[in-house]
């Protein structure tokens, strides 16, 4: 605001200086015209007097021609010297004794004129005059002058008016600018207040929701200050979404750790129990009975250790897939891989009906053959495990546009809608309609999803009673595979 007032003040000062200069010039031109008019009349009077008698007293008649009030008249002659008066007139008549100019005053007039024919002269005890000099044919110098009091008074009045108007205008400008700035910056104050409230929220832990927003009336993106508010709202929306995603990831991690701990606790408890049982049997039973009991306990310990090993390997595989590792790209015939996968799965569930649908031509993709075989095996195992005997399981492979599509369909009881959205989560379990018939880690579908996404594809499921289909879509030539090959 100070800069605005200073800039406007400078402009007003410049305008005042230019206005006063123009007014002074105009008024002096008008005064010069009066001065020349009076000078011509007085020159006529001087020419009527012989040069040897050319003095002011001899030139001025009792009845003057019309002259301007306060007229200065001086005569400079080499014969008679210098003389001058200031005449006070009223409608052309002398109203009083003319004021005689002293030699010092006449010298001041001569000095002011110098070599100029017209100039401004400041005369002691008289004031400021506009004086002009002319020469008669006889060589007498005539000086006429008029007071500049009107010019100075009008100029002083003008400058006073300009100063008062400028001061009033600046006060009004300051008030208007302050109000305008305060109103214009109101959105910024709202931004600052909102940012301060958000900054005071604990965002580093727990469930956090940022509900603070700039009101719509103060976040209009069509204005500069409103654009700041709209940008902050966008930032807060992004931060709020990021915090929600962070909270969801934390909850997922806690659930994952809890599930993994639960899965590991069971085999560890079994191993501990059977080992304690074996030690007790060795200390209290006969050697034959102890050997028989110990053999059974060791078999159970081995089974539980194998289960724990599979769980740890699955977790390690998921971690490597999350890091973008573990996949080795090459050419994979998805149709041939499906035939092999179905051949491996058929003996594990002879009470199910198995069918396969593959095209005559190979469906070739760029991918990791071993991991894609694991996807097929996991999907078939999932269908076999969670469906009753007599269920028809169909494995099909096709190429649709630039994607290879693998589907596993069954006519079992379907998936509970309550768990369908979390089906690919780690340690996810189906409901009673697809109850587990055999043990497992609950990571099969999560591993399948991670492998498919590692190939640039995606896996989906559609299910209703009597019709469940898992669909895998993988680009025939994923763009990231080349980068992965070059990196390896």
């Amino acid at each position: 605001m100070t800069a605005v007032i200073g800039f406007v003040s400078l402009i007003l000062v410049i305008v005042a200086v230019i206005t006063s200069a123009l007014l002074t010039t105009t008024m002096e031109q008008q005064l010069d015209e009066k001065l020349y008019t009076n000078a011509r009349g007085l020159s006529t009077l001087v020419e009527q007097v012989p040069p040897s008698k050319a003095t002011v007293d001899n030139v001025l008649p009792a009845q003057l021609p019309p002259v301007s009030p306060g007229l200065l008249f001086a005569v400079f002659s080499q014969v008679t010297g210098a003389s001058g008066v200031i005449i006070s007139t009223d409608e052309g008549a002398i109203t009083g004794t003319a004021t005689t100019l002293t030699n010092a005053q006449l010298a001041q007039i001569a000095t002011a004129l110098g070599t100029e024919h017209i100039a401004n002269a400041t005369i002691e005890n008289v004031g400021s005059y506009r004086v002009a000099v002319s020469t008669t044919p006889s060589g007498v110098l005539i000086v006429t002058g008029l007071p500049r009091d009107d010019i100075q008074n009008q100029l002083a009045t003008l400058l006073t008016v300009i100063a008062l108007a400028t001061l009033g205008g600046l006060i009004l400008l300051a008030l208007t600018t302050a109000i305008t700035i305060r109103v214009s910056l109101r959105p910024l104050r709202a931004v600052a207040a909102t940012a301060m409230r958000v900054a005071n929220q604990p965002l580093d832990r727990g469930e956090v929701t940022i509900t603070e927003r700039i009101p719509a009336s103060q976040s209009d993106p069509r204005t500069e200050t409103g654009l700041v508010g709209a940008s902050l709202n966008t930032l807060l929306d992004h931060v709020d979404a990021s915090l929600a995603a962070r909270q969801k990831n934390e909850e997922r991690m806690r659930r994952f750790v809890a599930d993994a701990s639960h899965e590991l606790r069971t085999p560890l408890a079994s191993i501990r129990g059977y080992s304690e049982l074996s030690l007790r049997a060795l200390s209290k039973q006969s050697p034959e009975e102890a050997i028989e009991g110990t053999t059974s306990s060791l078999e159970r310990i081995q089974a539980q250790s194998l289960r724990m090993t599979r769980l740890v390997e699955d977790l390690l595989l998921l971690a490597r897939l999350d890091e973008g590792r573990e996949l080795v790209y090459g050419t994979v015939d998805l149709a041939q891989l499906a035939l092999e996968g179905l051949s491996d799965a058929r003996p594990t569930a002879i009470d199910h009906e198995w069918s396969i649908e593959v095209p005559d031509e190979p469906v070739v993709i760029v991918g990791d053959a071993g991991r894609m075989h694991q996807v097929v095996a996991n999907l078939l195992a999932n269908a076999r495990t969670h469906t009753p005997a007599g269920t028809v399981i169909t494995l099909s492979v096709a190429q649709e546009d630039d994607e290879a599509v693998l589907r596993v369909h069954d006519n079992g009881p379907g998936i509970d809608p309550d768990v369908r959205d979390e089906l690919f989560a780690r340690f996810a379990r189906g409901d009673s309609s697809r109850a587990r018939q055999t043990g497992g880690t609950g990571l099969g579908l999560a591993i399948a999803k991670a492998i498919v996404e590692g190939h640039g594809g995606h896996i989906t499921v559609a299910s209703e009673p009597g019709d469940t289909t898992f669909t895998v879509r993988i680009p025939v030539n994923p763009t990231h595979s080349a980068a992965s090959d070059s990196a390896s």
Side-chain angles (χ1 to χ4, degrees):
M1 186 175 69
T2 303
V4 173
I5 294 177
F7 184 69
V8 174
S9 301
L10 177 62
I11 294 177
L12 293 177
V13 169
I14 294 174
V15 171
V17 170
I18 294 175
T19 301
S20 60
L22 291 176
L23 180 62
T24 301
T25 302
T26 301
M27 295 180 68
E28 285 186 347
Q29 289 176 352
Q30 295 175 353
L31 189 63
D32 290 346
E33 292 177 1
K34 293 181 181 180
L35 190 60
Y36 291 141
T37 300
N38 287 282
R40 284 192 295 269
L42 293 174
S43 295
T44 302
L45 295 176
V46 172
E47 291 174 358
Q48 296 176 1
V49 178
S52 59
K53 296 182 179 181
T55 64
V56 170
D57 294 334
N58 294 330
V59 170
L60 290 177
Q63 184 68 32
L64 290 173
V67 294
S68 300
L71 175 67
L72 182 148
F73 175 50
V75 175
F76 291 86
S77 174
Q78 294 180 354
V79 178
T80 59
S83 61
V85 294
I86 295 178
I87 306 170
S88 177
T89 64
D90 185 10
E91 297 180 356
I94 298 177
T95 59
T97 304
T99 303
T100 303
L101 297 175
T102 64
N103 292 331
Q105 292 172 329
L106 293 172
Q108 291 173 352
I109 295 172
T111 302
L113 285 169
T115 58
E116 303 292 334
H117 72 281
I118 189 168
N120 294 327
T122 301
I123 305 172
E124 185 179 1
N125 299 326
V126 175
S128 178
Y129 264 72
R130 183 76 169 170
V131 294
V133 61
S134 60
T135 305
T136 64
S138 60
V140 177
L141 298 178
I142 302 173
V143 176
T144 55
L146 289 173
R148 299 181 68 249
D149 295 341
D150 290 343
I151 295 178
Q152 293 177 338
N153 292 337
Q154 293 186 29
L155 187 60
T157 302
L158 175 65
L159 293 177
T160 301
V161 171
I162 291 177
L164 293 176
T166 300
L167 180 60
L170 291 178
I171 294 175
L172 181 61
L173 176 65
L175 293 176
T176 305
T177 303
I179 295 173
T180 302
I181 292 177
R182 188 172 185 84
V183 173
S184 300
L185 297 183
R186 186 178 299 167
L188 293 183
R189 289 194 294 274
V191 168
T194 302
M196 184 61 66
R197 289 194 297 269
V198 172
N200 291 331
Q201 289 186 249
L203 304 179
D204 58 338
R205 61 188 180 276
E207 184 175 358
V208 179
T209 301
I210 301 178
T211 58
E212 299 289 345
R213 294 294 185 276
I214 308 299
S217 59
Q218 298 175 344
S219 58
D220 186 357
R222 294 174 296 181
T223 63
E224 287 78 3
T225 53
L227 182 60
V228 175
S231 300
L232 180 61
N233 281 344
T234 302
L235 175 62
L236 292 178
D237 290 340
H238 175 69
V239 173
D240 191 38
S242 300
L243 290 174
R246 186 212 66 181
Q247 178 65 19
K248 186 176 180 180
N249 289 335
E250 290 180 354
E251 291 176 355
R252 185 179 301 167
M253 181 59 67
R254 285 194 293 268
R255 186 169 61 251
F256 172 76
V257 172
D259 291 339
S261 300
H262 177 74
E263 291 291 334
L264 290 172
R265 182 176 61 181
T266 301
L268 286 174
S270 298
I271 292 174
R272 179 180 177 182
Y274 283 114
S275 63
E276 291 178 353
L277 182 61
S278 299
L279 292 174
R280 189 179 298 113
L282 289 174
S283 62
K284 295 183 178 181
Q285 296 178 355
S286 62
E288 292 79 6
E289 293 176 347
I291 291 174
E292 182 179 355
T294 301
T295 301
S296 176
S297 297
L298 290 175
E299 290 175 351
R300 296 303 302 166
I301 289 174
Q302 183 183 30
Q304 294 299 325
S305 64
L306 290 175
R307 179 184 176 186
M308 189 165 56
T309 300
R310 287 194 301 270
L311 174 60
V312 173
E313 289 177 349
D314 287 343
L315 291 175
L316 180 60
L317 173 60
L318 282 172
R320 290 177 175 174
L321 291 173
D322 288 342
E323 294 176 357
R325 299 163 54 189
E326 196 67 22
L327 296 179
V328 179
Y329 286 93
T331 301
V332 180
D333 182 357
L334 200 58
Q336 181 62 33
L337 190 145
L339 289 171
E340 296 174 356
L342 189 67
S343 299
D344 294 339
R346 193 189 303 271
T348 62
I350 57 176
D351 55 353
H352 285 63
E353 296 184 20
W354 301 86
S355 65
I356 188 168
E357 298 174 0
V358 294
D360 296 334
E361 298 295 329
V363 180
V364 179
I365 65 171
V366 176
D368 188 320
R371 295 307 172 194
M372 287 306 303
H373 186 278
Q374 189 173 3
V375 171
V376 175
N378 286 356
L379 292 177
L380 292 176
N382 179 74
R384 178 194 72 234
T385 302
H386 299 290
T387 56
T391 301
V392 178
I393 300 175
T394 303
L395 175 61
S396 63
V397 176
Q399 182 170 343
E400 299 176 1
D401 297 330
D402 294 332
E403 291 182 328
V405 182
L406 183 145
R407 294 183 176 90
V408 176
H409 174 269
D410 68 72
N411 60 353
I415 303 172
D416 186 351
D418 294 336
V419 300
R420 187 182 307 162
D421 294 338
E422 298 293 331
L423 199 60
F424 295 101
R426 298 169 187 186
F427 299 107
R429 303 294 190 192
D431 66 341
S432 58
S433 65
R434 291 175 73 93
R436 290 195 321 177
Q437 304 299 327
T438 61
T441 63
L443 298 175
L445 292 180
I447 292 174
K449 180 175 182 292
I451 293 173
V452 171
E453 290 180 349
H455 285 78
H458 58 277
I459 182 171
T460 58
V461 60
S463 179
E464 59 184 28
D467 184 9
T468 299
T469 303
F470 285 84
T471 303
V472 175
R473 294 182 178 272
I474 296 179
V476 173
N477 188 13
T479 55
H480 72 278
S481 63
S484 299
D485 292 340
S486 62
S488 61

